[in-house]
C-alpha cells in the first residue's frame, strides 16, 4: 500500500497560515480554504538556493499545466509566493527569495 503524501500544513504550518491570509486579502476565498488541505507531493528540485518551491499535486516535470491553468501571485512581506492553479486545484507553490522554512 502506497503511503499518502503529508499535508503541507503539518510540515509548514506558518506557510499555510500565511498563504490563507494572503489569499483572503486577494479575494481568493475558495483557495484560502483549500490551501489548508494541500499535500506535499515533492520539492521543486531545481537546486537554486533561493527556491523552496513545492509540488502539491502530481504533474509531469517540465510540462505546461494546460487548459484551466492560472497563476495567482501573492504579496508577502518577504520574497515571492505564486500559486499555479488548475481548475481550482493548487498544483504548485512557488516560494522564492524567502527565509529558510523549518520542518
Amino acid at each position: 500500500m502506497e503511503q499518502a503524501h503529508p499535508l503541507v500544513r503539518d510540515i509548514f504550518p506558518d506557510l499555510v497560515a500565511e498563504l490563507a491570509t494572503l489569499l483572503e486579502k486577494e479575494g481568493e476565498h475558495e483557495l484560502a480554504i483549500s490551501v489548508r488541505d494541500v499535500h506535499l507531493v515533492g520539492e521543486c528540485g531545481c537546486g537554486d538556493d533561493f527556491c523552496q518551491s513545492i509540488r502539491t499535486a502530481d504533474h509531469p516535470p517540465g510540462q505546461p499545466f494546460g487548459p484551466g491553468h492560472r497563476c495567482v501571485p501573492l504579496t508577502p512581506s518577504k520574497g515571492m509566493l505564486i500559486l499555479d492553479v488548475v481548475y481550482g486545484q493548487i498544483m504548485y507553490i512557488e516560494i522564492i527569495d524567502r527565509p529558510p522554512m523549518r520542518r
Side-chain angles (χ1 to χ4, degrees):
M1 181 173 179
E2 188 176 321
Q3 184 177 4
H5 298 289
L7 290 168
V8 175
R9 72 171 183 235
D10 291 341
I11 299 169
F12 302 118
D14 293 341
L15 173 66
V16 171
E18 181 180 12
L19 287 169
T21 298
L22 292 170
L23 286 163
E24 282 292 341
K25 285 182 182 178
E26 292 293 323
E28 296 281 357
H29 306 295
E30 291 84 11
L31 291 178
I33 293 167
S34 68
V35 76
R36 293 175 176 93
D37 294 323
V38 296
H39 292 266
L40 177 59
V41 174
E43 296 178 4
C44 171
C46 71
D48 291 332
D49 61 353
F50 58 83
C51 179
Q52 300 177 78
S53 302
I54 56 176
R55 293 183 294 117
T56 58
D58 285 319
H59 183 78
Q63 297 297 311
F65 286 107
H69 173 253
R70 67 186 180 109
C71 285
V72 180
L74 301 172
T75 54
S77 60
K78 293 182 181 179
M80 293 190 303
L81 292 172
I82 304 167
L83 305 182
D84 284 302
V85 179
V86 177
Y87 295 119
Q89 180 184 1
I90 299 170
M91 304 289 288
Y92 193 84
I93 303 171
E94 231 178 306
I95 306 164
I96 305 294
D97 288 330
R98 292 180 46 94
M101 295 189 301
R102 305 275 184 241
R103 287 184 180 252

